Amino acid sequence: MNADTPLQLLGGLTAAEFLRDYWQRKPLLVRQAIPDFESPLSADELAGLSLEESMESRIVLEHGKTPWEMRRGPFQEEDYQHLPEQDWTLLVQAVDQFVPEVAQLLEQFRFLPSWRIDDVMISYAAPGGGVGPHFDNYDVFLLQGHGRRRWKVGQMCSSDSPLREHADLRILADFEQSDEWVLEPGDMLYLPPRLAHYGIAEDECMTYSIGFRAPSAAEVLTHFTDFLGQFLSDEERYTDAGLQPVGDDPHQIQRDALERLQGLIQEHMSDERLLLTWFGQFMTEPRYPELVAGEEIPEEELFGALEDGALLVRNPSARLAWSEIDIGLVLFASGQSVLLPGQLKELLKLVCSADALHLENLGQWLADDDARKLLAELVKQGSLEFADE
């Protein structure tokens, strides 16, 4: 995608202009970002998904047994028969992993790194429904799919922003409104992290929320150091060869001890190859790892099927990314990584981007031993699978 091409999705801005002026800076309202948009799912179909064990769903009632009562799915059909006529919302996470037509929406956002995209959450709201004024720590695009929703935006927030007492929802105690807009089907609102916002359904409506992964500093430090620990022996410890005699007080920790400790930490934290390996695995970890389960198929059977016209597709729950390092390529697939020779670069691009892999686009790769091994491993791991007939 050309960064200098105006995009309807961004209201005529180029990707470069949007990233420079709006991304993680300020909101952007785009009327008819997707002209004549029709929701791929009906409200009844979304409710049907919330009955499934594999789906992550919630219902929020503004006036429930408690203010802003939250109920967790999976739900039963009778649960919907006892809901009020207004002031409640159903939210279903990661619908893109289960409905191909919803996953197709993500193609519109390929001006952003695909490994940053988290999922597409869809909400249905009865008139007046919402989840209260709140803020998120990640970027989100709010695409109106059906009906109308009024969005109010307010102040920038932080972990110090006062919240109402609530066991499940992070509802702001104070909301300082600065703007508001009513969105209709096809309209979209981009919100940067930590911007307070409050959506209220004008009538029955559905909203598609395209959210992005943004690991916290605490997650990065905790998970990366745990990862590093796998490669360090117990013999590698704090040392102080050349230590000088203590001065007047042997209980004092001297500056030179801190400098040695910093050196020990920095020696490992600055290893870019290990950092990349951890980051790629972390950012491609599936939301639902149990759905990425492959099968070991004999190579002759796998490639025989491809030669007979079978299609390999990405598992909807899988996440793929790749990078280039000094000794070759690294493919990250659903939380795992593999080092590969540099000549497979075009194959990695194909595996990560193609709708399907088949005899025609794989072509010469089917005669390459490294390529065949990689494809077989991805099927075994579960990131690739045969398309349903």
Side-chain angles (χ1 to χ4, degrees):
M1 180 178 292
N2 190 326
D4 296 321
T5 301
L7 299 177
Q8 174 74 41
L9 186 77
L10 300 176
L13 294 174
T14 67
E17 289 170 335
F18 170 76
L19 293 172
R20 182 192 66 204
D21 299 333
Y22 292 91
W23 181 249
Q24 302 207 324
R25 289 179 173 82
K26 59 185 180 180
L28 175 66
L29 173 68
V30 180
R31 297 294 184 188
Q32 291 304 286
I34 303 181
D36 304 317
F37 179 73
E38 294 186 12
S39 175
L41 282 181
S42 67
D44 286 343
E45 289 170 329
L46 185 68
L49 288 176
S50 76
L51 310 182
E52 302 291 334
E53 286 280 349
S54 57
M55 303 300 294
E56 185 180 347
S57 58
R58 296 164 288 160
I59 290 176
V60 177
L61 298 94
E62 184 173 354
H63 311 290
K65 295 177 182 177
T66 60
W68 301 106
E69 177 192 357
M70 190 177 84
R71 303 174 184 174
R72 296 185 184 276
F75 299 105
Q76 305 293 323
E77 289 187 16
E78 52 265 31
D79 291 328
Y80 289 99
Q81 298 170 7
H82 304 292
L83 291 173
E85 292 185 1
Q86 62 183 43
D87 300 339
W88 63 271
T89 298
L90 165 69
L91 307 104
V92 183
Q93 294 286 158
V95 181
D96 54 300
Q97 297 188 25
F98 301 90
V99 181
E101 293 82 1
V102 174
Q104 193 63 32
L105 281 174
L106 296 177
E107 294 302 316
Q108 303 253 13
F109 296 88
R110 293 307 180 199
F111 59 91
L112 296 164
S114 60
W115 48 264
R116 276 279 266 127
I117 296 174
D118 191 2
D119 72 340
V120 180
M121 180 188 75
I122 303 180
S123 64
Y124 164 83
V131 296
H134 64 284
F135 70 96
D136 302 309
N137 285 310
Y138 52 83
D139 306 86
V140 63
F141 291 89
L142 301 163
L143 173 67
Q144 194 61 21
H146 173 74
R148 298 178 303 151
R149 185 184 287 272
R150 182 178 299 275
W151 283 105
K152 302 179 179 184
V153 298
Q155 72 275 25
M156 295 301 293
C157 300
S158 71
S159 56
D160 296 326
S161 299
L163 303 175
R164 297 187 188 184
E165 288 189 14
H166 198 291
D168 301 300
L169 298 175
R170 293 164 46 84
I171 299 175
L172 289 165
D174 301 305
F175 180 69
E176 303 165 11
Q177 181 177 330
S178 58
D179 276 302
E180 71 173 70
W181 307 277
V182 174
L183 272 64
E184 301 191 355
D187 293 345
M188 187 177 73
L189 177 62
Y190 162 73
L191 298 175
R194 299 184 299 284
L195 181 68
H197 54 283
Y198 185 12
I200 306 169
E202 295 280 289
D203 45 29
E204 288 189 57
C205 75
M206 293 176 67
T207 302
Y208 289 66
S209 300
I210 296 93
F212 289 76
R213 292 190 170 193
S216 67
E219 285 179 303
V220 171
L221 290 173
T222 300
H223 290 276
F224 181 48
T225 52
D226 285 347
F227 175 80
L228 278 178
Q230 303 173 64
F231 305 97
L232 303 180
S233 69
D234 190 54
E235 289 74 27
E236 191 165 357
R237 294 171 177 260
Y238 170 85
T239 60
D240 49 12
L243 179 67
Q244 297 299 309
V246 297
D248 297 335
D249 189 346
H251 305 291
Q252 181 181 3
I253 297 176
Q254 299 285 355
R255 178 68 193 176
D256 59 347
L258 288 183
E259 291 173 351
R260 291 188 188 93
L261 190 61
Q262 285 178 326
L264 177 66
I265 293 171
Q266 291 171 359
E267 177 184 352
H268 299 291
M269 295 291 280
S270 61
D271 189 320
E272 290 189 5
R273 191 180 299 171
L274 283 177
L275 180 62
L276 171 64
T277 302
W278 168 78
F279 187 62
Q281 292 180 180
F282 184 81
M283 294 301 286
T284 60
E285 184 70 34
R287 175 182 281 270
Y288 306 117
E290 67 276 10
L291 298 181
V292 184
E295 54 182 322
E296 191 158 3
I297 301 174
E299 277 198 28
E300 60 272 17
E301 183 179 331
L302 168 62
F303 295 107
L306 286 171
E307 289 170 3
D308 290 338
L311 302 178
L312 282 177
V313 296
R314 288 186 301 283
N315 182 319
S317 296
R319 300 176 64 88
L320 299 173
W322 69 277
S323 191
E324 198 163 9
I325 59 176
D326 54 350
I327 58 173
L329 308 170
V330 185
L331 175 67
F332 304 102
S334 304
Q336 299 180 28
S337 62
V338 60
L339 181 65
L340 298 165
Q343 67 265 25
L344 295 187
K345 181 188 288 190
E346 294 306 314
L347 176 62
L348 297 197
K349 291 181 180 180
L350 183 67
V351 167
C352 291
S353 63
D355 292 332
L357 301 172
H358 44 77
L359 190 62
E360 185 174 341
N361 62 5
L362 286 173
Q364 63 179 2
W365 298 116
L366 294 180
D368 184 293
D369 288 341
D370 290 322
R372 289 169 67 93
K373 182 179 178 182
L374 173 62
L375 293 170
E377 283 297 317
L378 289 173
V379 171
K380 178 181 176 181
Q381 184 228 20
S383 288
L384 292 180
E385 59 189 14
F386 282 113
D388 294 331
E389 293 184 5

